[in-house]
Amino acid sequence: MGLVQYALGDLHGDGTLLQDASDYFQLASDVKKNHPELWNNWGMVYLRLVAISDAQADIETAIE
């Protein structure tokens, strides 16, 4: 679900869909903590949020 929300949010430049994707990745990280692809995809969501909103908090979260 996170990847679908990310793809739709990226396509439409919709921050709400991207935030939904982030929420799904948060849930997935609770299940499987050491999955590099998960962390990469989650970071990409935050980088895209930064691109459409220029929010400093999102930049810092993406870096983490």
Side-chain angles (χ1 to χ4, degrees), residues 41-52:
N41 291 334
W42 200 358
M44 300 250 324
V45 167
Y46 279 109
L47 290 173
R48 184 63 176 127
L49 276 169
V50 167
I52 65 173

Side-chain angles (χ1 to χ4, degrees), residues 8-27:
L8 289 171
D10 185 37
L11 180 67
H12 297 289
D14 186 335
T16 303
L17 290 171
L18 292 169
Q19 188 57 53
D20 289 345
S22 176
D23 293 343
Y24 282 114
F25 287 126
Q26 172 70 46
L27 291 171

